[in-house]
Amino acid sequence: MFGYRSAAPKVRLTTDRLVVRLVHERDAWRLADYYAENRAFLKPWEPIRDESHCYPSGWQARLGLITDMHKQGNAYYFAVMDPDENEVRGVANFSNVVRGSFHACYLGYSLGQKWQGQGMMFEALQSAIRYMQRQQHMHRIMANYMPHNQRSGNLLARLGFEKEGYAKDYLLIDGRWQDHVLTALTAREWTPERRGPL
């Protein structure tokens, strides 16, 4: 009604080594563990996080807001997990979803330190991007990275993202304004969402 979805979507994608699913309110302790364990590792690549990112109580409030965004179709926050869904290995977030004549969103992601260099984020993002293109009908997914983060740049290129520009002082990362390389992936065979009779 009025553009709002009635219930949060239940999305669970599986790959050879992972489960990639939308986070829900029972994930508070898993997400707190992920951010606590990787706090120092992620610090140079993310905005300054307050202490609540490392505690389940902080995530309980945050997950309530995220669930509302899922219901409204404004954002899709995925956890990258082991096959038994006990541990968060990474996250992939599709935010600022715009439909209408744009059908686009932004992608952000991170992977825990101990899982680096194993192709896990590539595997997870292939699945999540496919979902966003086929089920959420995104024509354009934008992802930006700092020029010195070549690992992220290589990952996006491997996924088919193309460089579109360079933005000076684009995002406040670790307390400093950082330049970013702007990239995007467009769906070659885009089809609009099928809707039933009104």
Side-chain angles (χ1 to χ4, degrees), residues 11-16 18 20 76 78 92 94 105 107 121-141 158-161 185-191:
V11 181
R12 184 180 183 276
L13 312 169
T14 57
T15 70
D16 289 343
L18 303 166
V20 182
Y76 298 87
F78 288 91
F94 297 86
C105 62
L107 166 63
M121 188 51 73
F122 177 76
E123 186 177 320
L125 287 179
Q126 276 189 308
S127 183
I129 287 168
R130 190 177 311 117
Y131 168 80
M132 292 301 295
Q133 289 178 333
R134 294 180 182 174
Q135 303 303 313
Q136 295 304 325
H137 307 282
M138 290 293 101
H139 174 250
R140 180 180 182 79
I141 299 172
R158 191 173 167 209
L159 288 163
F161 283 76
L185 175 70
T186 53
R188 301 277 182 239
E189 298 177 16
W190 182 83
T191 55

Side-chain angles (χ1 to χ4, degrees), residues 144-147 164-171 177-183:
N144 308 317
Y145 65 93
M146 291 181 283
E164 293 191 328
Y166 190 93
K168 304 267 310 164
D169 294 339
Y170 184 71
L171 284 177
W177 289 105
Q178 296 279 356
D179 296 356
H180 278 67
V181 177
L182 311 179
T183 75

Side-chain angles (χ1 to χ4, degrees), residues 36-55:
E37 182 177 335
N38 292 288
R39 186 169 190 169
F41 176 70
L42 294 176
K43 186 176 181 294
W45 313 108
E46 294 194 332
I48 292 175
R49 304 284 191 199
D50 63 37
E51 291 292 321
S52 71
H53 256 72
C54 299
Y55 294 100

